[in-house]
Structure formats: structure tokens, C-alpha cells
Amino acid sequence: MYIHPPKFITCLFPDMRWGFDPEKYAGRLFITFDDGPTPGITPWIVETLARYDAKATFFCLGKNVEQYPDLYRLIVDNGHAVGNHTYSHMKGWGNRVERYIEDVDLADSFIHSNLVRPPYGRITPSQSRRLSERYNIIMWNVLSRDYSRVLSPAACLRNVTKHMGSGSVVVFHDSKKAFRNMSYALPRVLEKAREMSLRCDPIVL
């Protein structure tokens, strides 16, 4: 996946938000976490964000919210926004529109958010159009690639700091697989945001 999506990709999916206007959202950075909540990982993220007085948006899996409601409540109680990442981490590609929407709606019965992020960013135009009738589809313009087994923590950090700025939507992952890179990069990104006078806000639409 693209760390910083090219314009032709964003134009193909006009129903999606790939970031926010840097002038309208000057001084604001939007850090997001996919795939949680996850035991041992989510509390670390929430604690780290709190140290920097930062708020984020957690795109949660419905099955994880169902299994770990206390971790989900920890996210919400600490003032972070939540979004829908489907119930079962379903790829849009290869699934019928109706089946995909059913999975998103099942997740919504636990998450109750008007924000959705498709897993892997893999969604068809017809699925996107249907989802956008009831949800705001949030993509990204800065992908950390923290999930990569071959990417070093320092390279993960560079993926973010090279591209982030006002209105940027940054993707990290709330997962065991990503923890090695994410746990290195996140505090350093938060330090960099302070240096750049960027306030880390939740996505609220």
C-alpha cells in the first residue's frame, strides 16, 4: 500500500476522505489506530497518548470490541474517537456488496460510529458508494507500515515524519504484529508533532 497515496488513487474514490484541508485544519494532526482493541497493546497506546495530551481515533474491529468491552470503554473514557473497521476484518475485494455492508453493520452494533475505514483499504467503488450513504469513509495520507515484518522501527518513524503536517491522517495499528514498530515510532511522532506545533485531535464528523 502507498505510504502517501498518489492523486490518481484519491480521485478514483471521491466518496472517501484521504486527509483534511491543511488550511482549514491548520495545526491539527489526526493519528489513527486500526485493528484493536488488543490486550496489552491498547492500554499502552492510551497511556502514551495521555503523556502527550494527545487524542486519536481508533478504528476498531467489531469482534474485538465484543470480546474486550473493557478495553473499548478505556478508549472512549479517555476522550478518543472510535470508528468501524468491519466486524471480521473483511476485505471488500472478493465479497459481494451486501455481504460487506452486513459485516460493517454488525460491527456498528458494538461500535456506534459514523466513521468507517475499510481493512487494507481494499474496497470496491460500489461498496464505497453504499457505505458513504450512512458512514464517513476515512482513509489516510500517511501510512506508517508498522505492520511490516521487514521494516525497521526507524524506517517506520521516517514514513510518518517525512509526510505528516496539518490535516494529515496517520495510520498506526493497535495489534501485536505492529507493536515493535509502532511502540518505537508513536512517542517520537508525538514529540515531532509538538516541535511542529501540531495538536493531535480525534476525527469528529
Side-chain angles (χ1 to χ4, degrees):
M1 284 188 285
Y2 295 103
I3 293 167
H4 187 66
K7 191 166 184 62
F8 80 89
I9 292 288
T10 62
C11 289
L12 284 175
F13 292 90
D15 298 321
M16 301 176 176
R17 288 181 180 262
W18 294 86
F20 294 90
D21 186 324
E23 293 187 6
K24 183 177 179 181
Y25 292 87
R28 300 173 68 186
L29 178 68
F30 302 96
I31 296 177
T32 69
F33 298 89
D34 290 358
D35 297 349
T38 306
I41 311 298
T42 304
W44 183 90
I45 294 172
V46 169
E47 181 180 329
T48 301
L49 292 169
R51 289 205 306 269
Y52 291 88
D53 195 26
K55 301 300 180 186
T57 305
F58 289 73
F59 286 91
C60 299
L61 293 173
K63 65 180 182 179
N64 286 359
V65 174
E66 182 179 24
Q67 188 171 3
Y68 307 112
D70 291 347
L71 291 181
Y72 179 74
R73 181 51 52 190
L74 177 69
I75 293 168
V76 174
D77 287 350
N78 277 272
H80 303 293
V82 291
N84 185 325
H85 200 45
T86 76
Y87 181 84
S88 60
H89 208 252
M90 180 178 286
K91 295 178 185 177
W93 298 356
N95 281 289
R96 293 179 298 105
V97 173
E98 292 75 14
R99 176 73 189 92
Y100 190 75
I101 300 297
E102 285 174 4
D103 202 72
V104 172
D105 285 345
L106 178 58
D108 185 59
S109 67
F110 298 98
I111 297 167
H112 309 301
S113 172
N114 67 346
L115 307 178
V116 168
R117 173 174 288 155
Y120 311 102
R122 294 177 182 174
I123 186 171
T124 68
S126 55
Q127 290 164 347
S128 173
R129 285 193 296 272
R130 282 282 299 277
L131 275 185
S132 66
E133 292 172 2
R134 291 185 291 122
Y135 300 98
N136 295 291
I137 305 174
I138 309 297
M139 301 297 275
W140 61 83
N141 53 11
V142 184
L143 181 65
S144 70
R145 296 190 69 237
D146 53 355
Y147 51 80
S148 173
R149 302 285 193 187
V150 299
L151 191 74
S152 72
C156 174
L157 174 62
R158 285 195 299 274
N159 284 344
V160 179
T161 56
K162 181 179 178 180
H163 297 288
M164 72 186 211
S166 291
S168 293
V169 177
V170 178
V171 180
F172 286 112
H173 289 77
D174 179 359
S175 69
K176 292 179 180 179
K177 180 180 179 182
F179 188 69
R180 177 182 69 106
N181 287 338
M182 183 273 291
S183 62
Y184 176 88
L186 178 60
R188 291 165 175 81
V189 165
L190 294 171
E191 289 280 2
K192 183 67 173 178
R194 277 186 174 177
E195 292 174 12
M196 297 173 66
S197 299
L198 293 172
R199 185 176 78 245
C200 297
D201 281 347
I203 297 173
V204 179
L205 295 173

